[in-house]
Amino acid sequence: IAHAPEGLQRYQALGHYARYDTDLSEAQKELVICATVRNVSYGWEHHAPLARQCGVTDAQLAALKEGRIPPDFAPADQALCRFVFEFSSFKGVPQETADELLRHFNERQIVDMALISAFYLSAGALIIGLDVQLEGPEALRREQEWQRRKLHGA
């Protein structure tokens, strides 16, 4: 990817927005990401621990990994996951799903969900297509520490 530095720079700008500047909570962002990358080992290995740190249980993560919506999620999180599963299927999002999402989220938050999912769909394609290997544990530790500070208001 680094062989196209201008493209990488622009791509990273969207990634930065998707990861750090949306109008979603940390837990909501991680749910979007995990629901999107459930079949991408690189993304799952990086984001499942971050979701866990936000309070997502192992059983809930297992359900997401299998493409199921955890029944013990709050209605807003169930709507979020349904939207991401449908959005990332490339088959369209039914009106019923969009209506349910609007009961819990504003329009910006819904677009943010779509942008996050779209970014991680493309990242998954690049990672799998170019056989990118997961960074060492230090990269994940840095991300977890950043998230801990954000979750605790620091």
Side-chain angles (χ1 to χ4, degrees):
I1 299 172
H3 295 291
E6 184 177 336
L8 179 59
Q9 181 181 20
R10 291 175 190 215
Y11 184 73
Q12 285 177 323
L14 176 58
H16 188 275
Y17 176 81
R19 187 67 191 96
Y20 303 110
D21 297 326
T22 67
D23 193 29
L24 299 171
S25 71
E26 283 303 302
Q28 291 165 338
K29 285 187 273 191
E30 291 304 332
L31 289 178
V32 171
I33 296 167
C34 284
T36 301
V37 302
R38 66 190 182 278
N39 295 317
V40 181
S41 296
Y42 179 100
W44 186 263
E45 294 300 319
H46 191 82
H47 286 280
L50 293 170
R52 199 173 288 113
Q53 184 168 271
C54 290
V56 181
T57 68
D58 288 339
Q60 291 166 333
L61 284 169
L64 288 175
K65 182 88 168 122
E66 294 171 1
R68 296 183 295 109
I69 299 168
D72 58 340
F73 270 180
D77 291 339
Q78 289 184 7
L80 179 152
C81 290
R82 184 170 298 104
F83 170 75
V84 173
F85 287 155
E86 292 170 353
F87 177 84
S88 62
S89 74
F90 296 100
K91 295 177 183 170
V93 176
Q95 188 60 49
E96 176 183 313
T97 299
D99 293 343
E100 179 65 17
L101 209 55
L102 280 167
R103 286 192 265 284
H104 303 284
F105 299 97
N106 64 44
E107 290 173 344
R108 175 183 173 183
Q109 290 171 315
I110 295 167
V111 171
D112 282 344
M113 289 175 206
L115 287 170
I116 292 168
S117 187
F119 174 79
Y120 282 91
L121 285 168
S122 67
L126 288 167
I127 288 163
I128 291 168
L130 299 177
D131 195 26
V132 175
Q133 301 302 308
L134 186 63
E135 299 101 342
E138 185 55 35
L140 179 57
R141 277 195 292 277
R142 282 192 308 272
E143 186 73 14
Q144 286 175 315
E145 182 54 35
W146 175 88
Q147 187 182 68
R148 259 192 292 284
R149 287 193 308 273
K150 181 150 178 132
L151 288 170
H152 295 85

